[in-house]
Amino acid sequence: MSTPQPQSHQQAAPAPNWQSAPGNAYTSPIPVTPTHLGHALTSEWTKIKSVRSTMWTLGVFLLLVVGIGLLVAAQTNDNDYADVPYTIPAFFGLILGQICLITLGVLVISSEYGTGMIRTTFTASPQRHRVLTAKLLIFFAVAFVVSVLAIGFVGLVTSGMHSGASDAGWGGTVLMGALYVSLLGVLALAVGSMLRHSAGAITAMLGLVLVPAILPAFLMISDSMRSLGEKMQDYNAPNALAKIFQIDSETDTGGPQLTLLICVTAAAIAGAYALLARRDV
């Protein structure tokens, strides 16, 4: 018979304590810095300069303002600039060129909603107001600089073609004209932020620009609506640009029209900030 082996008593290993914290805290080798508006500005600048829509819209804007402006300047003579600034030819190009800035202003933000990229943007920068602020600042800077260069170039070429024909100063028309069309683009960006749809926002902005220019002709048929038609005709976008470029009078420089646009744009921006904070992506 075989002798039974004595049973070995092994002590069970203690269960690991999964809840215990590690002995040494983890330190990331990547430096962590608090984010600020400068980071958002860099991001938006990278976006706006890398998409094709920016090149196309700004390219068409320059083609319209400079191309039409130089064609008009070539068809005029010295007597046409007796009491008007040399930037008058740029006005005819801006009538169409402003639509390019309106379109670009909408696309700067609505295209991100259309592609879903806005989710990535807000994940990287949860402070939504910071993102919208960066978009507004970058777009306004780009639109204003391009507009100043286009209008100023037309004024310089026209001055060289008709040297000594005009005594009217035209530096103010360059800055105010560029400011007006740039604010139209900023207004379009705010509308695009509220509507979140490219076609809808562009249509709304075209209606806001074109309807006040067309409707007064019908309103002034009726005596009771004549005052409204005259006021609308006085403050529509084409007539505001005409006043800025001193087509009607040297003393009327479009100050009230520009002030109205600033107020409307500020109200639209406030609405965009309010809706951005309340709505989900």
Side-chain angles (χ1 to χ4, degrees), residues 199-255:
I202 292 173
T203 302
M205 283 302 303
L206 290 179
L208 185 63
V209 172
L210 298 179
V211 170
I214 300 173
L215 195 58
F218 301 95
L219 292 178
M220 289 190 291
I221 296 177
S222 172
D223 292 337
S224 60
M225 303 293 291
R226 179 175 293 274
S227 59
L228 177 61
E230 290 176 349
K231 188 63 67 175
M232 191 178 295
Q233 186 177 24
D234 195 37
Y235 282 87
N236 63 54
N239 196 49
L241 284 173
K243 292 180 179 297
I244 289 174
F245 284 89
Q246 303 176 13
I247 291 181
D248 296 333
S249 173
E250 295 183 11
T251 58
D252 192 357
T253 58

Side-chain angles (χ1 to χ4, degrees), residues 30 191 193 196 207 252 276:
I30 303 175
V191 172
S193 177
R196 299 184 174 187
D252 192 357
L276 189 64

Side-chain angles (χ1 to χ4, degrees), residues 33-44 130:
T33 58
T35 59
H36 49 76
L37 181 59
H39 297 137
L41 291 172
T42 303
S43 174
E44 295 305 324
R130 183 183 296 171

